Every structure is written in C-alpha cells, then in structure tokens.
Amino acid sequence: MACSQPQQPQVPCLFIFGDSLVDNGNNNGILTLARANYGPYGIDFPEGATGRFTNGRTYVDILAQLLGFPAYIPPYARTRGRALLRGTNYASGAAGIRDETGNNLGDHMSMNQQVESYVRTVQELSRYFRGDLNALGTYLSKCIFYSGMGSNDYLNNYFMNDFYSTSSQFTPKSFAAALLQDYSKQLTDLYKWGARKVVVTGVGQIGCIPYELARYNGNGSRCNEEIDNAIILFNTGLKKLVDRFNKGQLPGAKFVYLDSYESSKDLVLNAKTYGFEVVDKGCCGVGKNNGQITCLPLQTPCDDRNKYLFWDAFHPTEVANIFLAKKSYSSNSKSYAYPINIHQLAML
C-alpha cells in the first residue's frame, strides 16, 4: 500500500546508555582524549565528524532506523525539552560501570552519571504529562532502553595496571562479581524510574581488537586469552542477571541480553561470508595492526572500509555495525539475542 503517512516508530522512544561504541557526540565539549569529532571519523557519515567513533553509523544509529525512527537519537549534551520525548543518548566515550574507569583518558560521564542524567530527564518529561506520573510511567514502559557497558572496565581499568590497582585488589572472578553488583543496582535504578523494556549487551571479544593485538605476543593464540577469559566471566554473570530480572525480581520488566562476544567472534570466524578481508587491523591507525596508536586527526584511512571489520584500534566499521544491529534486531538465534530479539521486545 502506497501511503504518504510517515511511518510511526515501533516504540515511542529509545534511551541509550554506553561508551564509545555508541557515543554520538556527548564527549565533544569536554576535556578528554576520548573524542572523535574530527576527520577521518565520520568520513562515510552524511554530517561528517559528529563525535561518533567510527566511519559512519554506530550500532544504535542503525537500531533506531530498524525501529522506524525518522531520525537518529540525539546526544543528551544537546537535547532538552520536548525532544526528550523521543529518547536521547547518554553514552560517553571511556565510560564504565565503575566511576574511576576511563579516568586515564580524561573526563567522561560514567554509568552512574548517565543514570543521574536519565533521572533528570524523567523529571523534565513529567511536565509534558501535566505531572500525571501514571501516564508518564505508561509512556516510558513502551520505550526501549539500551545499555552497553563493561568494555572500559576491562580496557581502561582492570588490564591497565600502570594506572589502576584493581587487578591487584580483585581476581578476574571477584572483579566480574563487583562489576555485576554495581551494574545490577544501576539497571534497577533505571527500572525504578520507568524502564521496562531493556536491552543489555555483553562485552565483545576485546582480546582480539587491534589495540590488544598490537600489544600482545601470544603463545600461538591469535588473541589475548587472559582478557577474553575475564570477559567471559562478566558476560556469563550478566546473562544470569537478565534471567533473574526476567523471572520476577523486577516485576513487569523484560530484559534482553545481546551476546556481543559470540557475535563479534562470528564476524571473525565467518569473515568471508560477511565480505571482510581484514579482521585484525584497524582501517585507520598507526603501527602494528594499525593498533598501537588509534586513528589520528586528518590521517588517511584505508580506501575500502567495507572490507575491514575494525575502523580504528578499538571500534567496528559501519558495515560491521550493520551486521550486528540487524542480527540482534531480527535473529532467532539465542547466541545473538536472548531470550527474544529486539523486534520481539518492541512488539510486546
């Protein structure tokens, strides 16, 4: 049916919490090395360099399109008033579950600060419901909340021994437990302030990103297995947390767990199927694996971005983000989205 009515999004709003994998400009105006508002970042994005840490769209940009939003969800740093009714993006490069995570790079908004910003948002939104908190609650209960956290708690904390002492205070097992305890409280706070449809993502295979490959001379294994094994402990616990939330700990909530570890592994193992020719080097960067120093201002990146899994030392290319978003949105495989996919969550 040809129809001139603009398509309604499947959910009224999308709220995003996270780090540089989904930050779209919140770090532009603060003192930090975790910034991407310069070329060649954004080389394939219509607006150019916006503060997205990739060549084009991020995972959540594509997710917003799949959910039928007419425009990308804007960064909280420049969103106020009625625009917040559509949701906003609180994500901040270098952010982690722990407050100190990422301090080696400068300023950022940690998960605790992102949750505080969301609470302020709900208070601001209440006036559009004339203070009717039931109506506001009903509205928020239909929205999707995406939270991708934990990568920097390993990259820019636990495995950065020259700056942080966590690795001498915690075993990998007790560190994962401490992270999950904090994260559980943060996600419960989102629930207390109206979140009911929540997507949480595990940490990807960080031991295999160009930044780590450039620093690692492994015993025959391609990736840094010490890092990957530590992450598996966190991810396993996060999936169990999702089960607990879904089995009545947070009544009326539905959580979806995205297994970024398995999905990033799949992109490497089946690289040819996805059209990737280079899975161990950044398209833009310096030194071994283009991973010793990440993409520098005005550096010339690789020509064929579609053949690279990684854009820089840390972040996937737009084409990798497209595969990851489409799979988590519509795949029926539990190794991508568990217990249901994001499309099914939106329809609830």
Side-chain angles (χ1 to χ4, degrees):
M1 264 171 64
C3 163
S4 61
Q5 283 297 93
Q7 172 202 0
Q8 279 295 93
Q10 293 155 24
V11 291
C13 48
L14 173 58
F15 289 98
I16 297 148
F17 304 82
D19 52 28
S20 60
L21 290 168
V22 293
D23 183 354
N24 61 346
N26 286 311
N27 279 15
N28 292 356
I30 61 177
L31 280 174
T32 175
L33 292 168
R35 290 219 318 243
N37 56 338
Y38 54 81
Y41 286 90
I43 191 170
D44 299 312
F45 195 71
E47 295 164 49
T50 54
R52 289 166 167 84
F53 289 74
T54 181
N55 57 306
R57 289 168 292 170
T58 67
Y59 170 90
V60 290
D61 288 330
I62 298 148
L63 181 60
Q65 289 178 309
L66 291 167
L67 288 167
F69 284 94
Y72 303 123
I73 304 301
Y76 180 65
R78 47 183 184 79
T79 312
R80 293 293 180 272
R82 285 196 82 84
L84 292 166
L85 286 165
R86 232 170 32 97
T88 188
N89 183 340
Y90 304 98
S92 171
I97 292 167
R98 293 174 69 91
D99 288 340
E100 83 273 8
T101 289
N103 282 348
N104 54 298
L105 294 166
D107 200 8
H108 57 271
M109 280 68 76
S110 66
M111 183 58 173
N112 280 328
Q113 289 169 291
Q114 293 181 35
V115 172
E116 283 165 24
S117 295
Y118 169 67
V119 170
R120 281 198 298 277
T121 298
V122 175
Q123 290 163 339
E124 201 173 329
L125 287 178
S126 68
R127 63 177 161 180
Y128 299 108
F129 293 83
R130 297 202 176 89
D132 181 344
L133 296 182
N134 283 339
L136 174 57
T138 303
Y139 183 81
L140 291 172
S141 72
K142 300 182 175 117
C143 301
I144 284 184
F145 292 74
Y146 170 92
S147 181
M149 274 287 176
S151 302
N152 288 311
D153 294 293
Y154 288 97
L155 266 179
N156 288 301
N157 190 331
Y158 192 73
F159 286 105
M160 192 170 272
N161 320 359
D162 45 355
F163 200 91
Y164 298 95
S165 57
T166 35
S167 59
S168 55
Q169 295 166 330
F170 295 95
T171 64
K173 195 174 175 184
S174 63
F175 187 64
L179 285 179
L180 289 161
Q181 192 178 350
D182 290 346
Y183 201 25
S184 171
K185 185 192 171 304
Q186 292 158 346
L187 293 169
T188 302
D189 284 346
L190 293 182
Y191 171 84
K192 284 177 184 159
W193 288 89
R196 291 298 177 269
K197 298 182 180 191
V198 186
V199 177
V200 293
T201 171
V203 175
Q205 228 182 344
I206 286 181
C208 306
I209 65 176
Y211 175 85
E212 291 302 341
L213 298 180
R215 281 157 180 72
Y216 180 66
N217 294 311
N219 47 357
S221 79
R222 193 178 80 81
C223 303
N224 185 327
E225 291 185 357
E226 187 195 356
I227 296 182
D228 284 343
N229 291 336
I231 283 164
I232 288 170
L233 294 170
F234 173 80
N235 286 349
T236 307
L238 183 57
K239 191 175 179 184
K240 285 183 182 147
L241 183 63
V242 162
D243 276 334
R244 284 209 306 278
F245 284 160
N246 283 339
K247 286 179 178 150
Q249 195 174 316
L250 298 180
K254 186 68 174 182
F255 277 71
V256 168
Y257 169 72
L258 302 184
D259 194 336
S260 310
Y261 191 94
E262 282 306 313
S263 52
S264 56
K265 203 161 105 180
D266 172 48
L267 290 182
V268 172
L269 289 176
N270 301 303
K272 288 274 183 290
T273 322
Y274 296 108
F276 294 123
E277 288 174 15
V278 186
V279 295
D280 57 352
K281 278 190 193 66
C283 161
C284 183
V286 181
K288 184 184 167 195
N289 297 83
N290 280 353
Q292 272 167 315
I293 301 173
T294 197
C295 190
L296 294 168
L298 310 180
Q299 197 185 337
T300 306
C302 65
D303 283 334
D304 199 344
R305 266 90 63 188
N306 292 342
K307 295 198 170 95
Y308 279 71
L309 173 57
F310 289 99
W311 159 250
D312 62 8
F314 303 95
H315 307 98
T317 52
E318 176 182 65
V319 68
N321 285 329
I322 292 171
F323 288 126
L324 294 168
K326 285 185 171 168
K327 294 261 187 188
S328 59
Y329 178 75
S330 57
S331 169
N332 289 321
S333 154
K334 298 267 184 284
S335 69
Y336 275 101
Y338 165 90
I340 56 176
N341 63 38
I342 297 176
H343 178 58
Q344 290 163 327
L345 180 68
M347 294 295 110
L348 289 179

